[in-house]
Amino acid sequence: GISPLAQPVITVPGNQLTTEGAPLAFSPSSGRQIHVVAPGLGAGPLRLVISALHSLGQVTPILSFGTTTGLTVTGNGANVFHLQGSLSNINAALASLTFYTPDNGDFTIDLLATDPATGENDVASIDVFASNVSPQVSFPNNESGDEGSVIANTIELSDPGAFDNPQ
C-alpha cells in the first residue's frame, strides 16, 4: 500500500521561452502542465505556494488563474499566491495558470506543495526566459502634398517592454 507519510510530488514542464508581453499558459492543451500528486494526503487539504520572480528583482511578473474554485487563496495577488484546498481543486487552478511579464529577462516560477497533516513537502522550479521585443516605429498618417508644400506628420514610437533592461 501507499505510505500515509508519502510526500506530495510536483510535476513541472522544462524551462520555458516566451516573449515579453505575451501570456504563457501552463495548461494541459499547451503541453506545459503543472500537476501535483499527493498519495498520502487523504481527505485533508493541500497547501501550495507559487511565486514568480525576476532574476534581478527589477520587474514583477504576473501570475493569474482561470479558476480558484473551492480554494482559499492568499498572497499579494500578483506574483505570490498561497493556495489551500483539495488536490483536485489545486490541480484545476494549476491547469488554468498563466504567467505574464511586461518586460524581458530571466524569471523563475517556484512551487512548494505541503501536506499539512504530515509536514511532508516537495519543491519545483521552472525557469522562464522572456525575450525582448524591439521598439516599433509607425507613421499613422499617409500624408501627401504638392512640391514645396509643408507636410506635417506624426511619428509614433512604442516599446512593448517599457521597462526594458539590458540582458
Side-chain angles (χ1 to χ4, degrees), residues 18-26 52 59-64 78-79 97-103 107 109 128 130 160-161:
T18 190
T19 302
E20 64 182 346
L24 181 64
F26 288 92
V59 179
T60 301
I62 305 295
L63 295 172
S64 61
N79 68 321
L97 176 66
T98 300
F99 170 90
Y100 171 83
T101 175
D103 202 4
F107 298 85
I109 300 173
V128 179

Side-chain angles (χ1 to χ4, degrees), residues 4-167:
L5 297 178
Q7 72 181 41
V9 177
I10 304 168
T11 303
V12 296
N15 295 340
Q16 300 295 308
L17 298 173
T18 190
T19 302
E20 64 182 346
L24 181 64
F26 288 92
S27 64
S29 62
S30 73
R32 292 182 289 270
Q33 184 173 6
I34 300 170
H35 187 77
V36 179
V37 294
L41 185 62
L46 182 71
R47 290 187 188 142
L48 181 78
V49 178
I50 182 169
S51 61
L53 301 170
H54 183 263
S55 63
L56 302 175
Q58 296 174 326
V59 179
T60 301
I62 305 295
L63 295 172
S64 61
F65 298 91
T67 182
T68 55
T69 301
L71 298 176
T72 301
V73 181
T74 59
N76 68 8
N79 68 321
V80 178
F81 288 90
H82 300 254
L83 309 176
Q84 182 170 317
S86 72
L87 180 61
S88 63
N89 287 343
I90 284 183
N91 279 323
L94 290 172
S96 70
L97 176 66
T98 300
F99 170 90
Y100 171 83
T101 175
D103 202 4
N104 63 306
D106 296 323
F107 298 85
T108 302
I109 300 173
D110 293 316
L111 299 105
L112 168 66
T114 303
D115 179 344
T118 65
E120 295 290 320
N121 61 57
D122 187 30
V123 295
S125 293
I126 304 166
D127 291 328
V128 179
F129 177 74
S131 63
N132 190 24
V133 174
S134 299
Q136 307 295 311
V137 178
S138 63
F139 300 92
N141 302 318
N142 189 7
E143 300 290 333
S144 62
D146 295 330
E147 185 176 336
S149 64
V150 175
I151 298 175
N153 200 343
T154 303
I155 298 173
E156 294 181 358
L157 175 65
S158 65
D159 186 356
F163 307 110
D164 279 343
N165 51 68
Q167 296 295 309

